[in-house]
Amino acid sequence: MLGYKGKSRGVGLTLVGRDQSSMQLRTPGDQILNFTILQIFPFTYESKRMGVIVRDESTGEITFYMKGADVVMAGIVQYNDWLEEECGNMAREGLRVLVVAKKSLAEEQYQDFEARYVQAKLSVHDRSLKVATVIESLEMEMELLCLTGVEDQLQADVRPTLETLRNAGIKVWMLTGDKLETATCTAKNAHLVTRNQDIHVFRLVTNRSEAHLELNAFRRKHDCALVISGDSLEVCLKYYEYEFMELACQCPAVVCCRCTPTQKAQIVRLLQERTGKLTCAVGDGGNDVSMIQESDCGVGVEGKEGKQASLAADFSVTQFKHLGRLLMVHGRNSYKRSAALSQFVIHRSLCISTMQAVFSSVFYFASVPLYQGFLIIGYSTIYTMFPVFSLVLDKDVKSEVAMLYPELYKDLLKGRPLSYKTFLIWVLISIYQGSTIMYGALLLFESEFVHIVAISFTSLILTELLMVALTIQTWHWLMTVAELLSLACYIASLVFLHEFIDVYFIATLSFLWKVSVITLVSCLPLYVLKYLRRRFSPPSYSKLTS
């Protein structure tokens, strides 16, 4: 309860010792005060307050201390005419305000409370509700002691990180439990809302008609940031969910203050349903866990509020500024690599399937497999596995360039690396290459069927290795090792594949030129098309790497 240990020491009051049942304080006169802790009421995000009941050992006086958010404490403390004004002044300075109050309890009053409190905790049905009701019986006409204003400083490089996200085409919503004034001040300090940008503060609404009028007033505004409280948000979502989400999604920035953890998760869920976009939730406290778990991608920031958020998230960072690199570099590379890898795996399987289809059609659809036994297993594993999976090392631009030009990330929003168009292109490539290899082998084979297998399978392996090389943007030394290792494994295994391949035939000049011709016909046109495309329609990143 006595949380501001350093602040208390500054005025001469020092915490000497503390355990679960007692605490000792040293006064400026070097006197030791002993207190017995009778009850502790921990902080919850629903109640927004915490309390403790202590007994002064020297006087026997029992005191109930409580601190909490001003909106909650305003109805608990005795009437005064300065609390709301001072809270507003502190909030406008960007301070997080807490109200501290106390209440003296007689021995009989405490004994009666303790009996009811123990009985409520032993209740089987509605235990939480009954416990809260008993505690609330004490929270009346408390004496206001003081206000505390804590400066919630921004971490390093928050402003440039938010600027990077905006330039990358990512819309940022700020969901917080702070007061409206504090949230607005924080948004301005973080440059979530630019200085020359208009701000529309959604006034407090309590019913449908007020929400309708305020939404109409907001609809007339253009290109302005929205600031709305949790209570008004709840009313709008109850009566005008579609209209509100449509207007809010058009805003360059949205600040939702006085939000409960449930409301944060609800907003994330509505954004997913109404926009169909992917959401990323970033939080650093326990009240952000539900929002992080509801989003498509959760990022937890380890901070002074504990590790609840980071443990519940998909990714954990130590500072907010690392979010920029996580998205601009690692996120972008992951998306492009996953797109290339998934489509290439489809191409690898469809290519051999096309060859089997052509082979069966030529031989009157006889149920005879083209490749048997180890050839099929080897094609899917040691012959092509290493080069294909080496695509996860590929990157089109350097990390520094990706961070310097966040607009490169914005290109991903168009879905060009992975779309129906790219899928159909890879399907056509697979059909072309499979057909070319199979028909080429049938035209050029000599007397025995085993020669068809040798020519077509060798051409297929070489084609796959060359296609990996065609797909790669920036070579890594492990990619070269993967290509050479796969080729070496195939050449070495030919000694043991005499059951499927004529070993003496593959050592002839006839075999070499036939395989070379078929491989060139299947791959050379694609290399020419790639060169022409990069020449006349270069991608956006090529200008940065040239």
Side-chain angles (χ1 to χ4, degrees):
M1 184 62 193
L2 296 175
Y4 304 108
K5 184 176 176 182
K7 303 293 185 183
S8 301
R9 187 187 294 115
V11 295
L13 188 65
T14 308
L15 178 65
V16 178
R18 162 72 193 272
D19 54 34
Q20 291 294 325
S21 60
S22 64
M23 70 170 66
Q24 297 79 39
L25 301 176
R26 179 183 289 113
T27 65
D30 207 28
Q31 179 185 1
I32 300 296
L33 302 178
N34 295 299
F35 295 90
T36 301
I37 301 176
L38 302 177
Q39 300 289 345
I40 296 177
F41 311 121
F43 175 84
T44 63
Y45 295 107
E46 288 74 22
S47 65
K48 294 186 176 65
R49 58 189 182 273
M50 62 189 298
V52 63
I53 299 179
V54 297
R55 186 198 303 271
D56 190 339
E57 293 296 332
S58 60
T59 62
E61 182 182 355
I62 300 175
T63 308
F64 173 36
Y65 291 97
M66 174 170 283
K67 73 174 181 179
D70 57 308
V71 289
V72 176
M73 298 295 290
I76 295 175
V77 299
Q78 297 172 351
Y79 173 77
N80 60 84
D81 57 357
W82 58 269
L83 176 61
E84 183 177 355
E85 181 182 356
E86 290 300 325
C87 288
N89 293 337
M90 287 186 173
R92 279 186 286 273
E93 295 178 13
L95 303 179
R96 287 191 171 185
V97 184
L98 288 177
V99 179
V100 183
K102 76 168 186 176
K103 184 176 185 180
S104 298
L105 303 177
E107 184 68 33
E108 298 78 10
Q109 187 179 4
Y110 174 72
Q111 293 298 334
D112 175 64
F113 165 80
E114 185 180 31
R116 290 185 291 115
Y117 187 62
V118 172
Q119 185 67 30
K121 289 199 294 185
L122 295 176
S123 178
V124 178
H125 302 288
D126 298 327
R127 182 184 302 167
S128 300
L129 179 62
K130 292 179 179 178
V131 169
T133 303
V134 173
I135 297 175
E136 287 175 2
S137 65
L138 287 181
E139 299 172 346
M140 295 183 298
E141 294 298 316
M142 298 188 70
E143 179 186 352
L144 178 60
L145 292 178
C146 64
L147 303 181
T148 62
V150 180
E151 184 180 4
D152 195 10
Q153 291 184 336
L154 295 175
Q155 292 184 357
D157 296 331
V158 169
R159 298 185 184 95
T161 301
L162 289 175
E163 184 69 22
T164 297
L165 297 181
R166 270 198 299 269
N167 293 336
I170 300 174
K171 284 195 173 183
V172 182
W173 286 34
M174 175 180 165
L175 313 180
T176 178
D178 293 338
K179 283 175 63 69
L180 187 145
E181 293 85 358
T182 306
T184 305
C185 184
T186 303
K188 290 180 178 179
N189 290 338
H191 290 181
L192 176 63
V193 178
T194 58
R195 293 185 178 181
N196 56 353
Q197 194 172 62
D198 293 333
I199 299 177
H200 178 81
V201 179
F202 206 94
R203 69 179 181 87
L204 185 64
V205 295
T206 56
N207 53 54
R208 182 168 187 165
S209 59
E210 291 179 355
H212 179 71
L213 293 174
E214 190 63 21
L215 281 173
N216 285 338
F218 178 45
R219 187 177 283 108
R220 289 190 289 269
K221 301 289 184 69
H222 298 285
D223 193 34
C224 66
L226 172 65
V227 179
I228 185 171
S229 64
D231 295 334
S232 300
L233 178 67
E234 188 174 353
V235 175
C236 290
L237 294 180
K238 181 179 180 180
Y239 297 110
Y240 299 102
E241 179 182 300
Y242 176 79
E243 292 81 356
F244 174 79
M245 293 303 297
E246 182 183 18
L247 291 173
C249 290
Q250 296 173 3
C251 296
V254 178
V255 178
C256 300
C257 56
R258 288 300 187 200
C259 284
T260 64
T262 305
Q263 284 180 323
K264 293 181 180 180
Q266 183 184 10
I267 293 171
V268 172
R269 185 167 58 253
L270 286 173
L271 285 172
Q272 293 170 335
E273 295 173 355
R274 295 298 181 187
T275 65
K277 305 292 185 181
L278 298 178
T279 57
C280 174
V282 185
D284 64 348
N287 57 338
D288 300 318
V289 170
S290 57
M291 171 183 70
I292 287 173
Q293 293 178 335
E294 187 68 38
S295 64
D296 298 292
C297 176
V299 180
V301 182
E302 294 185 16
K304 296 181 180 179
E305 296 191 30
K307 294 187 177 182
Q308 285 179 289
S310 61
L311 292 175
D314 302 298
F315 301 94
S316 178
V317 295
T318 56
Q319 290 188 335
F320 183 82
K321 67 179 181 179
H322 297 153
L323 182 65
R325 187 175 182 84
L326 178 66
L327 293 175
M328 300 302 109
V329 178
H330 301 293
R332 182 175 181 275
N333 287 340
S334 177
Y335 178 77
K336 294 181 76 69
R337 290 166 178 172
S338 299
L341 179 61
S342 59
Q343 293 177 122
F344 202 92
V345 169
I346 293 173
H347 162 265
R348 186 180 64 172
S349 302
L350 190 56
C351 199
I352 195 171
S353 300
T354 302
M355 293 177 63
Q356 179 64 56
V358 172
F359 175 78
S360 298
S361 65
V362 170
F363 289 95
Y364 306 101
F365 297 98
S367 56
V368 178
L370 176 59
Y371 305 124
Q372 300 181 10
F374 186 78
L375 292 181
I376 287 291
I377 298 174
Y379 174 74
S380 301
T381 54
I382 61 172
Y383 296 155
T384 60
M385 179 178 66
F386 300 118
V388 170
F389 283 99
S390 70
L391 290 173
V392 299
L393 301 172
D394 191 21
K395 58 181 180 181
D396 49 4
V397 295
K398 294 181 180 180
S399 303
E400 296 78 10
V401 176
M403 287 295 296
L404 188 60
Y405 299 98
E407 291 78 9
L408 293 173
Y409 186 91
K410 196 172 184 178
D411 285 345
L412 300 184
L413 303 179
K414 302 173 183 177
R416 290 175 179 172
L418 185 62
S419 62
Y420 289 113
K421 178 182 177 181
T422 57
F423 173 75
L424 291 175
I425 289 175
W426 277 105
V427 169
L428 293 176
I429 291 174
S430 303
I431 294 174
Y432 166 74
Q433 291 185 326
S435 303
T436 300
I437 294 171
M438 195 66 251
Y439 279 119
L442 291 173
L443 290 173
L444 298 178
F445 89 104
E446 295 181 0
S447 56
E448 299 182 15
F449 172 77
V450 72
H451 293 173
I452 297 179
V453 175
I455 295 172
S456 62
F457 193 75
T458 304
S459 300
L460 177 62
I461 297 298
L462 293 176
T463 297
E464 289 299 319
L465 297 181
L466 289 174
M467 284 301 296
V468 171
L470 177 67
T471 307
I472 291 173
Q473 304 286 347
T474 304
W475 281 87
H476 190 277
W477 67 270
L478 286 175
M479 296 176 176
T480 306
V481 171
E483 292 267 329
L484 297 177
L485 181 62
S486 298
L487 184 59
C489 288
Y490 176 64
I491 295 174
S493 64
L494 291 176
V495 180
F496 309 101
L497 299 177
H498 54 83
E499 182 181 350
F500 310 106
I501 296 177
D502 186 353
V503 180
Y504 297 102
F505 173 67
I506 62 176
T508 62
L509 185 62
S510 175
F511 170 80
L512 294 176
W513 77 260
K514 290 176 181 178
V515 169
S516 300
V517 169
I518 294 174
T519 305
L520 283 175
V521 173
S522 66
C523 293
L524 187 60
L526 299 178
Y527 272 84
V528 173
L529 290 175
K530 180 182 179 180
Y531 172 78
L532 294 176
R533 182 182 178 185
R534 292 183 67 90
R535 176 74 174 176
F536 298 105
S537 180
S540 57
Y541 61 82
S542 62
K543 301 175 183 178
L544 304 176
T545 56
S546 59

